[in-house]
């Protein structure tokens, strides 16, 4: 669940900014996350990195802190940060950066719906 309600805005401003997603009590989403890594291909394994390792990092960085959680109440990061899809992408990026080998993470995509996709590459956020 996410809030899409900023404490620093009036109810009217929240409704204008977040539209139908505005709800002070939160609402649920099923997000799809795509993580892209890049680097040299290991000549022995033929992979940039072991996919089993990547899945374990994703489990630790994404699933454990976020899956089936009320983001605004259960995830300390979102107690002060509005749980927009953009900010979720930043949270996932930062969490993965702590686990993955330096420089291997290329981008994080968070799909809120088929039409609403956020791509984060560490410095710039792209909304599709």
């Amino acid at each position: 669940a996410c809030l899409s309600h900023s404490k620093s805005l009036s109810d009217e401003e929240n409704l204008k900014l977040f539209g139908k997603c505005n709800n002070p009590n939160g609402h649920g989403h099923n997000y799809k996350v795509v993580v892209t890594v890049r680097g040299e291909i290991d000549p022995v394994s033929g992979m940039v990195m072991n996919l089993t390792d990547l899945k374990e990092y994703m489990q630790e960085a994404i699933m454990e802190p976020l899956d089936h959680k009320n983001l605004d109440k259960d995830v300390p990061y979102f107690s002060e940060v509005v749980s927009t899809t953009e900010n979720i992408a930043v949270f996932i990026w930062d969490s993965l950066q702590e686990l993955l080998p330096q420089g291997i993470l290329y981008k994080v995509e968070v799909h809120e719906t088929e039409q609403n996709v956020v791509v984060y590459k560490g410095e710039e956020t792209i909304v599709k």
Side-chain angles (χ1 to χ4, degrees):
C2 62
L3 198 58
S4 295
H5 185 87
S6 175
K7 297 174 199 164
S8 60
L9 299 174
S10 70
D11 287 346
E12 187 177 304
E13 290 169 320
N14 269 293
L15 187 59
K16 187 175 179 183
L17 182 61
F18 298 115
K20 67 180 181 178
C21 282
N22 175 236
N23 185 342
N25 298 316
H27 63 282
H29 280 288
N30 288 320
Y31 297 97
K32 176 177 142 187
V33 177
V34 178
V35 174
T36 305
V37 295
R38 68 176 175 183
E40 296 289 321
I41 297 173
D42 182 281
V44 176
S45 71
M47 296 184 282
V48 171
M49 76 172 294
N50 185 309
L51 287 181
T52 302
D53 292 343
L54 179 58
K55 286 179 185 176
E56 287 177 10
Y57 294 139
M58 290 176 69
Q59 178 68 30
E60 184 176 340
I62 303 167
M63 301 305 288
E64 288 174 16
L66 302 179
D67 192 34
H68 289 90
K69 298 286 193 319
N70 181 319
L71 299 184
D72 304 296
K73 294 179 179 171
D74 300 333
V75 183
Y77 179 88
F78 293 108
S79 63
E80 298 298 322
V81 176
V82 181
S83 56
T84 60
T85 308
E86 290 87 341
N87 285 333
I88 293 168
V90 172
F91 172 86
I92 291 170
W93 174 277
D94 291 346
S95 300
L96 284 169
Q97 280 287 62
E98 292 178 15
L99 300 171
L100 288 168
Q102 188 66 34
I104 202 169
L105 183 59
Y106 176 62
K107 69 180 176 181
V108 169
E109 292 180 37
V110 180
H111 299 243
E112 181 180 350
T113 66
E114 284 185 28
Q115 291 80 30
N116 184 14
V117 180
V118 169
V119 178
Y120 186 65
K121 294 182 176 179
E123 295 177 4
E124 60 186 35
T125 306
I126 302 160
V127 180
K128 294 183 186 176

